[in-house]
Amino acid sequence: MMERTAAVENRPASGASEPAIELRRLRRDFGERTALGAISARLEPGENLAVLGPNGSGKSTLLRILAGLLRPSGGEVSVLGCALPERTDRLRGRIGYLGHAPLLFRDLSPRENLSLAAALHGLDPAASETRIAELLDRVGMSARAGDQVAELSAGMKQRVDICRAVLHQPELLLLDEPDAHLDIEARALVDPLIGPSSGTSRVVVSHDRAAATIGADLVLELT
């Protein structure tokens, strides 16, 4: 059986009673292959975790487990006080998940996609309309808000998907390569929403150590 290992660069415990994330010997297997092996870590509220490693090291797998999209094969996982996978239903509206590919409908416009996301989160229609307009403006997408997503560049889709991830003002952001397809100007636009200064607990998955570790309180190395 091929196993994956992890090294954690930690900081002194803060003494918080309920961590944003707690992993105890988390494991995920795919058949005979162990994608994640015996990972333990603790992230306090408001802190940032950088998850680093080469392709195939299990970074996206870990993020999907934290989002409640994939069941662990062993160990214990707690996110915002919810044990996973048993309490996944209590977590849905409290996290913002930015996956490897945009979670957007190609035939809908950015505004329509965000309105649908707001409805799924049960947000007030009038308040969400204002919030959507504000977010699209902040990421420089107001002028393309009515165009089909299929007509947008990869970087534009990423900016809209970031709006979707933060639309409901989540307590925890789970970000898979958040800088993908973004130039320097676009990164500056989205940084207040998903960067270290956002004030939100974050897990940032990346193969780019320099970018991912900016503002990181904890670094998890997957090999």
Side-chain angles (χ1 to χ4, degrees):
M1 178 182 291
M2 181 171 67
E3 295 191 359
R4 297 291 184 183
T5 59
V8 180
E9 298 174 18
N10 215 328
R11 70 281 176 266
S14 68
S17 58
E18 184 175 278
I21 293 172
E22 187 162 24
L23 309 177
R24 295 181 179 177
R25 298 191 63 79
L26 166 66
R27 194 185 83 253
R28 173 64 197 192
D29 301 327
F30 291 99
E32 293 296 315
R33 184 176 70 89
T34 297
L36 295 171
I39 296 176
S40 296
R42 178 185 175 106
L43 187 72
E44 305 295 348
E47 290 189 333
N48 297 278
L49 167 65
V51 183
L52 307 174
N55 291 338
S57 60
K59 301 188 302 297
S60 294
T61 296
L62 174 59
L63 209 65
R64 292 180 64 200
I65 290 174
L66 296 177
L69 301 174
L70 190 65
R71 297 174 66 93
S73 301
E76 299 178 11
V77 183
S78 176
V79 178
L80 299 176
C82 301
L84 302 184
E86 296 84 4
R87 301 293 184 180
T88 301
D89 58 317
R90 299 187 180 184
L91 191 63
R92 296 298 187 195
R94 303 174 64 193
I95 62 172
Y97 176 71
L98 184 71
H100 197 67
L103 298 176
L104 303 170
F105 290 97
R106 290 172 50 84
D107 294 338
L108 298 182
S109 69
R111 185 184 295 111
E112 290 169 335
N113 268 282
L114 296 180
S115 294
L116 177 58
L120 292 174
H121 282 295
L123 303 182
D124 176 75
S128 63
E129 184 176 344
T130 300
R131 171 82 171 153
I132 289 167
E134 174 194 350
L135 287 173
L136 289 173
D137 181 63
R138 291 180 68 177
V139 301
M141 287 298 297
S142 293
R144 303 297 300 272
D147 296 344
Q148 282 190 339
V149 165
E151 300 172 359
L152 303 180
S153 68
M156 290 178 178
K157 292 174 185 175
Q158 184 76 345
R159 282 186 271 170
V160 175
D161 206 34
I162 287 170
C163 291
R164 177 200 54 75
V166 303
L167 176 63
H168 54 299
Q169 298 178 303
E171 301 169 52
L172 172 67
L173 289 172
L174 304 175
L175 309 171
D176 195 345
E177 303 285 357
D179 291 338
H181 310 297
L182 299 181
D183 57 23
I184 294 176
E185 181 180 350
R187 291 181 186 185
L189 289 174
V190 304
D191 187 70
L193 298 176
I194 62 170
S197 63
S198 67
T200 307
S201 300
R202 302 185 313 139
V203 179
V204 181
V205 163
S206 181
H207 64 276
D208 185 343
R209 170 179 288 275
T213 55
I214 295 175
D217 300 286
L218 181 67
V219 177
L220 178 63
E221 295 263 11
L222 300 180
T223 58

